[in-house]
Amino acid sequence: RLKLRRGISHILPTKPQDSTAVFSEMVRAAVFLTMLVVAAEGLKSGWTPEPCEELEPGAPCLKLYEHPQGSTTVMPCPTESATSADGCAALFAGKADGTQCPQITCPKALGVTMKLVCAGGCCPTCWAPDHV
């Protein structure tokens, strides 16, 4: 049979620690954890698509969509990036600026911030790489 000791004095250090040293270590740990969280968030929201020149043949070229200056209106992707510029022209025929594309904002999914990209279609879509 094991005999249990009363209290926890047998596992405490014999010398009391300086409270300033303990506080200093706690501050260092908090700063380190904060830096880790900020770095992780940066990875999840600071991504950009791979440059088109580095993609394998046949892989779609993705370019980040940039809103018109001073606006949050989602406008069509540049015609030179569209797979079918004629199809986009037909789709947008008779529609006023700002009504051609869905007015979407990209969500966060599993902590990863999705971004609007032009990937050959007429309008930007929300996307995030698999590796983020």
Side-chain angles (χ1 to χ4, degrees):
R1 281 186 130 201
L2 292 174
K3 204 173 203 184
L4 297 175
R5 293 185 185 182
R6 291 188 182 255
I8 59 169
S9 61
H10 62 283
I11 61 171
L12 293 175
T14 55
K15 294 182 185 177
Q17 291 186 353
D18 179 20
S19 63
T20 306
V22 172
F23 179 74
S24 177
E25 287 299 316
M26 289 172 52
V27 168
R28 279 190 210 146
V31 168
F32 178 73
L33 289 173
T34 301
M35 289 172 37
L36 281 177
V37 168
V38 168
E41 280 302 311
L43 288 174
K44 292 182 177 184
S45 64
W47 61 264
T48 57
E50 291 184 40
C52 297
E53 305 81 48
E54 296 178 15
L55 296 172
E56 294 179 24
C61 176
L62 302 172
K63 296 195 179 205
L64 286 178
Y65 172 78
E66 294 181 23
H67 288 282
Q69 188 172 355
S71 173
T72 57
T73 302
V74 179
M75 299 294 288
C77 290
T79 54
E80 60 272 6
S81 71
T83 305
S84 174
D86 293 338
C88 293
L91 177 67
F92 300 145
K95 293 184 180 178
D97 282 350
T99 62
Q100 299 146 327
C101 295
Q103 301 304 302
I104 58 175
T105 54
C106 295
K108 271 190 169 186
L110 300 174
V112 176
T113 302
M114 301 180 83
K115 296 182 181 181
L116 285 171
V117 295
C118 291
C122 301
C123 294
T125 57
C126 292
W127 182 82
D130 294 334
H131 65 275
V132 176

